[in-house]
Amino acid sequence: MADIIKLLPDHVANQIAAGEVVQRPASVVKELLENALDAGAETIKLIVKDGGKVLIQVVDDGLGMSATDARLSFSRHATSKIQKAEDLFNLNTKGFRGEALASIAAIAHVEMQTKPDTEELGTHLRIEGSEIIIHETTVTPKGTSIAVKNLFFNIPARRNFLKSNTVELRHITDEFHRVALAHPKVAFHFYHNGSELFNLPADNHRKRIVTIFGTRTNQKLVPVEEETPIVKIKGFITKPEFAKKSRGEQFFFVNHRFIKSPYLHHAVVSAFEGLIKSDTYPGYFLYLEVNPASLDINIHPTKTEVKFDDEHSLYAIIRATIKHSLGQFNVAPALDFDHDPNLQIPYGFKDRSAVIPQVTVDAGFNPFQENRQGGFATQTYKKQSAHWENLYVGMESKLGNDDTGSSISYESDTITGTIFEGEKESPETVTTTFQIRRKYIVTTIKSGMVVIDQSRAHQRVLYERFLKNSTIKGAVSQQLLFPLTLTFSTSEIGALQEIEDILVSVGFIFEKIEGESITITGVPLLVAESEVGMVLDQLITDYQQEVIGESFSHTDMLSKTLAKTLSVKTGEVLDRQSQLALVNDLFACTESMTSPFNKPVYITITENDIDKKFI
């Protein structure tokens, strides 16, 4: 039998390995930033063009590399972080695999300039598809500058899978946030297409968080701190009233490394149990320090999944620490055992039965009495008017011989007629509706009954209204009496600026968008002023989570977001008039069977279906 197993060439092996390390431009940003931090940089610049597809450049003032190290750094499994297998359990650096630069060089054009502080001249390298094109001496400042251009130039299939520049930039921003939050003592600068997005000076943890997520974040934060033999916890959690419906501001850092841990996330959520709604999530920025020997990060190439030796104890400590912070800063309700004794019921009244209040009525009270003493008031009529009987003098001649006045028609107390003559409501046209579990509306039809999901039905009604107003009738706005000013983080302001034209087409009117605040002078007709902040928060979340990619247009995405945010929710009680209005509006829609998110709105139960249950 002929031999069929062959050793792959190095460039093919590097391209295969690059698929695990480099998934998108954000992966390159993460690896380069972590290398700069491992080099001891105090200032790091990140320069990106077109969402990282054209250029990703990281400039640092770290240690730099010699000519030999610079060339060797692009070799596979070449690293300065570890020397032997035992070092994996005592890691104090971000990288240790020695795969990142080799993987990046295999699928992009890479240019490096580096110089250590002890050398007068630096090294210039240019690599294309793992092949070194240029290796020369150059003049460059201390530190390292790596530019990655034309990512996936030799793998067109992978390049076609990349999203839009906006989406890729959002992923890069997320990675930048994670690295910047983990190292507040390092200054960071972030540029995209020539404009500065972030300028983060070296500072403490709280100021770094506020600088990234906006000044309004400062009032949301509650400090958390605890030290045990197992773990040392520091950081912040957000107050329960600021919980969001999206998992945005949630960060775990272990030994200055961002991680993802559903198990520890559950510990945080359980600490907020009873303080937030079931469909909302709290924000947190928790920094954990554990013994490196009790931590295994060699699980996944991205190094965001870790394994702890004693996860159960860590779970209990995190949960108890957060509960303690919520109670310590009066965020969580607590029982008050220091009652004011003046507000207590005396023990002498403990066994007494309740006494029914006695009501006395003055049988001789006459409100028309001319001179009344006591009571509510004393009033004297100085001028006496004619006796009331004189007003009806001569009525006998008008009444005729019938003194009883039976011929006079009087207006009855209740009007039993209808507004429109000839229109009478028959029993067959009466629609019967009732609500079940504050979630479903049941109405009758000729063949049986219909069970309607009230939330999805209202979403469909509002969705078609918003879509019609924005596409057919044009934008109609209601002017606000006083301008409304809202504050957002830098990334959220950027998202709003990108979709400003869409919001204006629906009915929003912006007076100005600058810094971290926006001023609104008009809103769509169906949006209340008190709901503007909630609507914009949900809209930004949907836009950043690529919901727009599932819609036919920006207007369609916006209409879905507005409908989902403003619709009647499960648990709300609807009176009979509201139930009828919702049923009528639903079946007046173009597509009443499904919600805007392609979920069934109602089901029909026929009389035959009911009869089959009794067989």
Side-chain angles (χ1 to χ4, degrees):
M1 181 177 178
D3 298 334
I4 60 175
I5 298 178
K6 297 181 181 180
L7 187 65
L8 291 174
D10 290 342
H11 69 279
V12 177
N14 287 338
Q15 289 184 7
I16 295 174
E20 298 180 356
V21 179
V22 182
Q23 301 172 357
R24 60 194 330 152
S27 305
V28 178
V29 171
K30 173 181 179 296
E31 298 294 344
L32 297 183
L33 289 178
E34 289 183 348
N35 283 343
L37 291 169
D38 288 339
E42 296 180 356
T43 302
I44 300 176
K45 293 182 181 179
L46 173 61
I47 303 170
V48 177
K49 288 185 179 179
D50 294 343
K53 299 176 183 178
V54 175
L55 172 67
I56 299 173
Q57 184 176 5
V58 173
V59 182
D60 67 71
D61 58 353
L63 297 176
M65 290 180 285
S66 64
T68 304
D69 287 346
R71 188 183 184 99
L72 192 60
S73 64
F74 289 96
S75 300
R76 193 160 179 79
H77 303 304
T79 180
S80 62
K81 315 297 174 59
I82 61 174
Q83 301 295 331
K84 52 186 182 295
E86 289 75 10
D87 294 339
L88 291 173
F89 300 98
N90 191 26
L91 288 173
N92 295 309
T93 58
K94 300 294 180 296
F96 56 88
R97 296 177 183 269
E99 295 179 342
L101 291 182
S103 299
I104 294 171
I107 56 174
H109 297 162
V110 180
E111 189 169 352
M112 172 193 281
Q113 292 184 358
T114 181
K115 183 181 85 70
D117 195 20
T118 57
E119 301 289 338
E120 294 184 359
L121 296 176
T123 303
H124 177 212
L125 278 176
R126 180 179 295 173
I127 302 176
E128 297 180 0
S130 298
E131 295 184 7
I132 298 178
I133 307 300
I134 296 177
H135 183 192
E136 61 185 7
T137 303
T138 186
V139 177
T140 183
K142 173 202 170 186
T144 303
S145 172
I146 300 181
V148 179
K149 304 176 183 178
N150 304 323
L151 193 65
F152 298 122
F153 79 99
N154 52 357
I155 310 179
R158 290 292 300 273
R159 189 175 182 87
N160 293 335
F161 276 110
L162 295 179
K163 303 293 184 179
S164 64
N165 293 346
T166 303
V167 174
E168 295 300 338
L169 177 63
R170 182 178 64 81
H171 286 286
I172 291 175
T173 304
D174 290 342
E175 292 293 347
F176 177 80
H177 286 170
R178 294 166 181 174
V179 176
L181 288 172
H183 300 84
K185 299 300 181 182
V186 179
F188 289 89
H189 303 271
F190 184 10
Y191 303 89
H192 180 252
N193 290 343
S195 61
E196 185 179 61
L197 299 184
F198 292 94
N199 185 355
L200 308 177
D203 223 321
N204 56 35
H205 286 102
R206 188 181 192 113
K207 290 185 179 179
R208 175 58 59 87
I209 294 171
V210 172
T211 305
I212 292 177
F213 294 101
T215 54
R216 69 169 182 171
T217 310
N218 192 34
Q219 62 179 347
K220 304 179 184 179
L221 301 179
V222 176
V224 175
E225 187 170 1
E226 186 64 48
E227 185 171 359
T228 68
I230 298 177
V231 61
K232 181 179 179 181
I233 303 175
K234 291 184 66 175
F236 303 91
I237 55 176
T238 58
K239 297 178 181 177
E241 59 264 29
F242 295 104
K244 293 185 177 182
K245 293 188 176 181
S246 60
R247 304 186 182 188
E249 301 169 358
Q250 298 178 345
F251 297 90
F252 269 118
F253 302 96
V254 176
N255 295 349
H256 307 288
R257 182 193 302 274
F258 172 79
I259 67 165
K260 296 179 181 178
S261 176
Y263 186 66
L264 299 185
H265 169 76
H266 187 272
V268 177
V269 174
S270 63
F272 280 87
E273 186 178 359
L275 300 177
I276 61 176
K277 297 181 179 179
S278 58
D279 59 342
T280 58
Y281 303 94
Y284 53 82
F285 306 85
L286 297 179
Y287 300 83
L288 312 180
E289 292 185 15
V290 300
N291 185 359
S294 65
L295 179 68
D296 184 11
I297 61 177
N298 190 24
I299 297 177
H300 193 272
T302 60
K303 297 184 284 290
T304 57
E305 298 179 12
V306 298
K307 197 72 176 177
F308 298 95
D309 284 350
D310 192 357
E311 285 187 336
H312 297 287
S313 299
L314 200 59
Y315 181 100
I317 293 172
I318 291 176
R319 184 173 182 271
T321 301
I322 294 177
K323 277 186 169 292
H324 175 69
S325 295
L326 291 173
Q328 181 181 6
F329 293 93
N330 296 325
V331 177
L335 294 176
D336 184 11
F337 293 100
D338 299 327
H339 293 292
D340 187 350
N342 295 325
L343 301 178
Q344 298 294 322
I345 300 176
Y347 283 102
F349 293 86
K350 182 178 64 173
D351 299 326
R352 293 188 182 182
S353 59
V355 180
I356 300 177
Q358 300 296 326
V359 180
T360 58
V361 179
D362 185 5
F365 174 73
N366 183 5
F368 301 102
Q369 187 175 355
E370 296 179 0
N371 294 321
R372 191 157 40 96
Q373 300 294 332
F376 295 102
T378 302
Q379 186 175 4
T380 303
Y381 295 93
K382 295 182 179 180
K383 183 178 179 180
Q384 298 291 336
S385 60
H387 200 271
W388 65 272
E389 292 179 351
N390 295 335
L391 299 175
Y392 298 94
V393 175
M395 288 292 292
E396 293 83 356
S397 60
K398 298 179 180 180
L399 294 174
N401 296 330
D402 188 3
D403 294 339
T404 62
S406 59
S407 62
I408 301 177
S409 62
Y410 298 95
E411 183 179 1
S412 60
D413 292 337
T414 59
I415 300 176
T416 58
T418 60
I419 298 177
F420 302 101
E421 294 294 335
E423 293 186 5
K424 294 184 179 180
E425 189 178 36
S426 61
E428 291 78 13
T429 61
V430 176
T431 303
T432 303
T433 63
F434 57 91
Q435 194 177 24
I436 298 179
R437 298 286 186 181
R438 300 182 179 181
K439 183 177 182 180
Y440 300 107
I441 296 176
V442 179
T443 183
T444 57
I445 55 176
K446 291 183 178 180
S447 60
M449 62 181 178
V450 177
V451 183
I452 303 172
D453 187 306
Q454 64 182 30
S455 180
R456 295 180 184 178
H458 201 208
Q459 286 179 15
R460 166 55 64 177
V461 173
L462 293 180
Y463 168 70
E464 293 199 4
R465 286 182 183 175
F466 281 117
L467 204 59
K468 184 178 181 180
N469 290 339
S470 58
T471 57
I472 300 178
K473 295 183 178 180
V476 180
S477 301
Q478 53 181 346
Q479 298 295 317
L480 299 179
L481 184 60
F482 300 102
L484 180 63
T485 301
L486 302 174
T487 57
F488 295 93
S489 65
T490 305
S491 59
E492 291 172 339
I493 289 291
L496 285 174
Q497 289 176 335
E498 293 171 5
I499 58 176
E500 180 180 359
D501 295 339
I502 314 170
L503 295 175
V504 172
S505 67
V506 175
F508 285 96
I509 300 177
F510 299 96
E511 182 177 339
K512 59 181 179 180
I513 301 179
E514 59 182 11
E516 296 179 354
S517 64
I518 64 172
T519 303
I520 302 174
T521 57
V523 296
L525 287 177
L526 299 178
V527 180
E529 181 180 355
S530 59
E531 298 173 334
V532 174
M534 177 182 62
V535 169
L536 291 180
D537 281 337
Q538 185 65 45
L539 179 61
I540 292 171
T541 301
D542 288 348
Y543 179 74
Q544 292 179 339
Q545 291 181 350
E546 306 175 29
V547 174
I548 189 172
E550 303 173 0
S551 303
F552 295 105
S553 65
H554 296 282
T555 305
D556 183 67
M557 181 272 294
L558 182 59
S559 299
K560 287 182 178 180
T561 299
L562 293 174
K564 180 174 64 174
T565 307
L566 301 176
S567 62
V568 173
K569 303 297 186 293
T570 299
E572 295 187 23
V573 180
L574 300 180
D575 55 22
R576 187 172 183 273
Q577 289 76 15
S578 300
Q579 298 171 20
L580 286 173
L582 182 57
V583 172
N584 294 332
D585 291 343
L586 172 64
F587 290 105
C589 291
T590 305
E591 177 58 58
S592 59
M593 295 186 65
T594 59
S595 71
F597 303 95
N598 296 323
K599 295 181 179 179
V601 174
Y602 65 87
I603 59 171
T604 302
I605 302 176
T606 63
E607 186 177 355
N608 292 333
D609 294 335
I610 300 175
D611 292 339
K612 291 178 181 178
K613 299 294 182 181
F614 290 92
I615 295 178

